[in-house]
Amino acid sequence: DPKLAKGIVKREVIETVTPGAVFADDLLEGSRNNFLCAMTDAQAAQVGVAAIGLSTGEFRLAVRTPAELPPLLARLAPRELVVIAGAARPADLDGVLVTEREAWEFDARDAGEELTRRFGVHDLAGFALHADSAPALAAAGGLLRYLRALQPAGVPHLARPVLEPRDGVMPLDEMTRRNLELVESLRGGGTAGTLLEVLDRTQTPMGARLLRQWLLAPLLERAAVETRLDAVEVLAGDGVARAALREALDGVRDLERLAGKVAAARATPRELRALGDSLARLPRVRELLAALV
């Protein structure tokens, strides 16, 4: 407080803004994730990848071979990529800010210890992280150290890490994704004329982001596909319930990002009110969904 200071007021850096580490709504797109990613050596037999959506707290880990890496990065579409200084990296990183960090920061053991402390667990087996997940933990270590430098106050809203399995979804590389015009048009780069534009009738930003993720990761397992289709069939066959559900969701704001701002002590009074109003609508949404089961 300047009133309490004697002489020069001490000012500390409380945040460093980068393309992958932003909270401001005017710098984020509501319909897509804003991932900050880190990866180990891209030419190693097993490459570790860690991705954090700072605005939502989403935390993903993956282990891939060099050949499997491009489809994963194309799906995550990171705004910023943290790499080991001097190590190999993917060739096609147009529009992605690449940040180099020292190799010692990518330490799997230190990352494992930090995650067990952060989430209060005895080990990481409950997160499906085992010995063969070491490359992903190494990437997580580099990413968490980088985030500590950007956000000295910490990231208390960080969710538990989710390890993305290798199988279950179809890998789509950048060229395939563009030529099929799933989420981005070949004419101008927007969504006009894409499959996403045709299908997207979502009512909330969370739904828009989820639909985008689903389109970029088509399911391969028959049981999972049929489960999703069964849910679509229920809603498609009951127009009254569908309309009521859309009405209940109308006005629900971006709960993921609002909750992230509250947890990080960044929410304004207006955003707190928006969070409260959105939460007040959820019991009605749950009631309508329960009636459809």
Side-chain angles (χ1 to χ4, degrees), residues 269-282:
R270 187 186 300 275
E271 289 168 337
L272 285 171
R273 177 62 184 269
L275 178 62
D277 290 343
S278 298
L279 291 174
R281 291 177 175 268
L282 297 188

PDB file of all heavy atoms in Angstrom, residues 269-282:
ATOM      1  N   PRO A 269     -16.248  -8.422  -9.366  1.00  0.00           N
ATOM      2  CA  PRO A 269     -17.602  -8.598  -8.835  1.00  0.00           C
ATOM      3  C   PRO A 269     -18.602  -9.001  -9.919  1.00  0.00           C
ATOM      4  O   PRO A 269     -19.483  -9.838  -9.671  1.00  0.00           O
ATOM      5  CB  PRO A 269     -17.929  -7.215  -8.254  1.00  0.00           C
ATOM      6  CG  PRO A 269     -16.595  -6.657  -7.875  1.00  0.00           C
ATOM      7  CD  PRO A 269     -15.648  -7.143  -8.918  1.00  0.00           C
ATOM      8  N   ARG A 270     -18.473  -8.445 -11.113  1.00  0.00           N
ATOM      9  CA  ARG A 270     -19.376  -8.807 -12.202  1.00  0.00           C
ATOM     10  C   ARG A 270     -19.226 -10.288 -12.569  1.00  0.00           C
ATOM     11  O   ARG A 270     -20.217 -10.979 -12.845  1.00  0.00           O
ATOM     12  CB  ARG A 270     -19.089  -7.933 -13.418  1.00  0.00           C
ATOM     13  CG  ARG A 270     -20.085  -8.115 -14.568  1.00  0.00           C
ATOM     14  CD  ARG A 270     -19.623  -7.318 -15.782  1.00  0.00           C
ATOM     15  NE  ARG A 270     -19.540  -5.896 -15.478  1.00  0.00           N
ATOM     16  CZ  ARG A 270     -20.565  -5.052 -15.546  1.00  0.00           C
ATOM     17  NH1 ARG A 270     -21.754  -5.500 -15.919  1.00  0.00           N
ATOM     18  NH2 ARG A 270     -20.400  -3.775 -15.262  1.00  0.00           N
ATOM     19  N   GLU A 271     -17.977 -10.781 -12.573  1.00  0.00           N
ATOM     20  CA  GLU A 271     -17.743 -12.180 -12.914  1.00  0.00           C
ATOM     21  C   GLU A 271     -18.230 -13.106 -11.808  1.00  0.00           C
ATOM     22  O   GLU A 271     -18.738 -14.200 -12.089  1.00  0.00           O
ATOM     23  CB  GLU A 271     -16.262 -12.394 -13.196  1.00  0.00           C
ATOM     24  CG  GLU A 271     -15.813 -11.762 -14.511  1.00  0.00           C
ATOM     25  CD  GLU A 271     -14.312 -11.708 -14.673  1.00  0.00           C
ATOM     26  OE1 GLU A 271     -13.598 -11.736 -13.653  1.00  0.00           O
ATOM     27  OE2 GLU A 271     -13.848 -11.625 -15.827  1.00  0.00           O
ATOM     28  N   LEU A 272     -18.105 -12.684 -10.559  1.00  0.00           N
ATOM     29  CA  LEU A 272     -18.653 -13.484  -9.463  1.00  0.00           C
ATOM     30  C   LEU A 272     -20.166 -13.604  -9.584  1.00  0.00           C
ATOM     31  O   LEU A 272     -20.743 -14.671  -9.344  1.00  0.00           O
ATOM     32  CB  LEU A 272     -18.279 -12.856  -8.118  1.00  0.00           C
ATOM     33  CG  LEU A 272     -16.833 -13.039  -7.655  1.00  0.00           C
ATOM     34  CD1 LEU A 272     -16.565 -12.188  -6.424  1.00  0.00           C
ATOM     35  CD2 LEU A 272     -16.554 -14.502  -7.352  1.00  0.00           C
ATOM     36  N   ARG A 273     -20.822 -12.514  -9.944  1.00  0.00           N
ATOM     37  CA  ARG A 273     -22.270 -12.550 -10.143  1.00  0.00           C
ATOM     38  C   ARG A 273     -22.635 -13.474 -11.308  1.00  0.00           C
ATOM     39  O   ARG A 273     -23.609 -14.242 -11.222  1.00  0.00           O
ATOM     40  CB  ARG A 273     -22.789 -11.133 -10.394  1.00  0.00           C
ATOM     41  CG  ARG A 273     -24.288 -11.066 -10.698  1.00  0.00           C
ATOM     42  CD  ARG A 273     -25.102 -11.577  -9.527  1.00  0.00           C
ATOM     43  NE  ARG A 273     -26.515 -11.596  -9.845  1.00  0.00           N
ATOM     44  CZ  ARG A 273     -27.342 -10.573  -9.608  1.00  0.00           C
ATOM     45  NH1 ARG A 273     -26.869  -9.445  -9.063  1.00  0.00           N
ATOM     46  NH2 ARG A 273     -28.619 -10.655  -9.897  1.00  0.00           N
ATOM     47  N   ALA A 274     -21.866 -13.405 -12.397  1.00  0.00           N
ATOM     48  CA  ALA A 274     -22.121 -14.274 -13.546  1.00  0.00           C
ATOM     49  C   ALA A 274     -21.952 -15.741 -13.168  1.00  0.00           C
ATOM     50  O   ALA A 274     -22.730 -16.606 -13.604  1.00  0.00           O
ATOM     51  CB  ALA A 274     -21.183 -13.915 -14.688  1.00  0.00           C
ATOM     52  N   LEU A 275     -20.948 -16.040 -12.342  1.00  0.00           N
ATOM     53  CA  LEU A 275     -20.745 -17.410 -11.887  1.00  0.00           C
ATOM     54  C   LEU A 275     -21.932 -17.868 -11.045  1.00  0.00           C
ATOM     55  O   LEU A 275     -22.444 -18.987 -11.229  1.00  0.00           O
ATOM     56  CB  LEU A 275     -19.449 -17.511 -11.085  1.00  0.00           C
ATOM     57  CG  LEU A 275     -19.122 -18.891 -10.503  1.00  0.00           C
ATOM     58  CD1 LEU A 275     -18.943 -19.922 -11.610  1.00  0.00           C
ATOM     59  CD2 LEU A 275     -17.850 -18.827  -9.643  1.00  0.00           C
ATOM     60  N   GLY A 276     -22.382 -17.015 -10.134  1.00  0.00           N
ATOM     61  CA  GLY A 276     -23.524 -17.374  -9.294  1.00  0.00           C
ATOM     62  C   GLY A 276     -24.787 -17.599 -10.103  1.00  0.00           C
ATOM     63  O   GLY A 276     -25.523 -18.574  -9.875  1.00  0.00           O
ATOM     64  N   ASP A 277     -25.056 -16.716 -11.064  1.00  0.00           N
ATOM     65  CA  ASP A 277     -26.242 -16.865 -11.900  1.00  0.00           C
ATOM     66  C   ASP A 277     -26.181 -18.151 -12.725  1.00  0.00           C
ATOM     67  O   ASP A 277     -27.205 -18.827 -12.924  1.00  0.00           O
ATOM     68  CB  ASP A 277     -26.383 -15.664 -12.840  1.00  0.00           C
ATOM     69  CG  ASP A 277     -26.746 -14.389 -12.101  1.00  0.00           C
ATOM     70  OD1 ASP A 277     -27.197 -14.485 -10.934  1.00  0.00           O
ATOM     71  OD2 ASP A 277     -26.573 -13.292 -12.674  1.00  0.00           O
ATOM     72  N   SER A 278     -24.987 -18.481 -13.211  1.00  0.00           N
ATOM     73  CA  SER A 278     -24.833 -19.700 -14.020  1.00  0.00           C
ATOM     74  C   SER A 278     -25.029 -20.950 -13.169  1.00  0.00           C
ATOM     75  O   SER A 278     -25.698 -21.903 -13.587  1.00  0.00           O
ATOM     76  CB  SER A 278     -23.450 -19.726 -14.677  1.00  0.00           C
ATOM     77  OG  SER A 278     -23.281 -18.630 -15.562  1.00  0.00           O
ATOM     78  N   LEU A 279     -24.460 -20.953 -11.976  1.00  0.00           N
ATOM     79  CA  LEU A 279     -24.619 -22.106 -11.087  1.00  0.00           C
ATOM     80  C   LEU A 279     -26.076 -22.307 -10.693  1.00  0.00           C
ATOM     81  O   LEU A 279     -26.539 -23.433 -10.521  1.00  0.00           O
ATOM     82  CB  LEU A 279     -23.754 -21.930  -9.838  1.00  0.00           C
ATOM     83  CG  LEU A 279     -22.239 -22.013 -10.045  1.00  0.00           C
ATOM     84  CD1 LEU A 279     -21.508 -21.671  -8.758  1.00  0.00           C
ATOM     85  CD2 LEU A 279     -21.834 -23.398 -10.527  1.00  0.00           C
ATOM     86  N   ALA A 280     -26.812 -21.207 -10.570  1.00  0.00           N
ATOM     87  CA  ALA A 280     -28.217 -21.306 -10.182  1.00  0.00           C
ATOM     88  C   ALA A 280     -29.059 -22.014 -11.241  1.00  0.00           C
ATOM     89  O   ALA A 280     -30.143 -22.537 -10.936  1.00  0.00           O
ATOM     90  CB  ALA A 280     -28.780 -19.907  -9.920  1.00  0.00           C
ATOM     91  N   ARG A 281     -28.573 -22.052 -12.473  1.00  0.00           N
ATOM     92  CA  ARG A 281     -29.313 -22.703 -13.550  1.00  0.00           C
ATOM     93  C   ARG A 281     -29.045 -24.208 -13.620  1.00  0.00           C
ATOM     94  O   ARG A 281     -29.802 -24.939 -14.267  1.00  0.00           O
ATOM     95  CB  ARG A 281     -28.945 -22.068 -14.895  1.00  0.00           C
ATOM     96  CG  ARG A 281     -29.458 -20.639 -15.062  1.00  0.00           C
ATOM     97  CD  ARG A 281     -28.999 -20.057 -16.385  1.00  0.00           C
ATOM     98  NE  ARG A 281     -29.584 -18.737 -16.600  1.00  0.00           N
ATOM     99  CZ  ARG A 281     -30.724 -18.523 -17.247  1.00  0.00           C
ATOM    100  NH1 ARG A 281     -31.399 -19.546 -17.738  1.00  0.00           N
ATOM    101  NH2 ARG A 281     -31.184 -17.298 -17.412  1.00  0.00           N
ATOM    102  N   LEU A 282     -27.996 -24.668 -12.982  1.00  0.00           N
ATOM    103  CA  LEU A 282     -27.595 -26.058 -13.147  1.00  0.00           C
ATOM    104  C   LEU A 282     -28.563 -27.076 -12.544  1.00  0.00           C
ATOM    105  O   LEU A 282     -28.729 -28.161 -13.118  1.00  0.00           O
ATOM    106  CB  LEU A 282     -26.190 -26.260 -12.571  1.00  0.00           C
ATOM    107  CG  LEU A 282     -25.076 -25.474 -13.271  1.00  0.00           C
ATOM    108  CD1 LEU A 282     -23.721 -25.899 -12.745  1.00  0.00           C
ATOM    109  CD2 LEU A 282     -25.138 -25.650 -14.776  1.00  0.00           C
TER     110      LEU A 282
END
